[in-house]
Amino acid sequence: MSDESRPFRTAAVIPAAGRGVRLGPGAPKALRALNGTPMLIHAVRAMAASRAVSLVVVVAPPDGATEVKNLLAEHALPDRTDFLVVPGGESRQESVKLGLDALPPGFDIVLVHDAARPLVPVDTVDAVIEAVRDGAAAVVPALPLADTVKQVEPRTDGAPERVVATPERARLRAVQTPQGFDHATLVRAHESVTENVTDDAGMIEQLGLPVVVVPGHEEAFKVTRPLDLVLAEAVLARRRANDGF
């Protein structure tokens, strides 16, 4: 089969090794229950909901791979999707690289998705994949900002922070996941970018390559604080009422 006719294969990597201290004491953030089901399971199902995704790699806490494997085995997941669990590292960046290293050959597109974004709709996942298929090296879903943003001079002593600039809000976007990448390009970024970055798209930017934006979704928010759990429960309740989810 020629390269032109060969179908794209897509894998998703879900780093789930973080502790999530802002949610308070308890289990790692990805294992916190949301409507009685761990957030990680919701996130895995969100990736597997896309028919384009044939493999989901979950990067577990370094000492929690067995627990995560058991968790996946306990919950119903699509038969058409394969699942793999690997131990993570000390940082998100290291964990994503370990997930990439675990991918078998033959995958053209890689999604990197936060386990703490359990409710991303499948339409958003598919839009990211389609943009990579169309030739983008890196794609991020994002939303326009509703609030005015101020750039400040940070303080660590608790004193008021001085505003130094007000960026033009129309040019700003709040970035979500899954972020989508050409597989070879993302591997090259993880091999060559050593600075600590907040997302994988930032690594592609450091290579000097363009990153493009597709519309995100309000339900793809990140569960970081206790109030976010309340909002996520409300979203699930609305889905059950409207769609029988």
Side-chain angles (χ1 to χ4, degrees), residues 52-70:
V53 175
S54 55
L55 172 65
V56 176
V57 178
V58 179
V59 188
D63 58 351
T66 299
E67 180 183 1
V68 171
K69 288 178 183 177
N70 292 338

Side-chain angles (χ1 to χ4, degrees), residues 160-180:
E161 297 175 327
R162 185 174 68 88
V163 172
V164 297
T166 302
E168 184 182 350
R169 187 173 65 185
R171 297 173 62 87
L172 301 176
R173 297 292 183 269
V175 174
Q176 302 175 325
T177 69
Q179 298 183 357

Side-chain angles (χ1 to χ4, degrees), residues 106-130:
F107 284 95
D108 311 278
I109 297 172
V110 179
L111 305 179
V112 180
H113 183 58
D114 295 333
R117 297 184 190 270
L119 304 179
V120 58
V122 67
D123 288 350
T124 301
V125 180
D126 287 339
V128 171
I129 295 170
E130 188 63 30

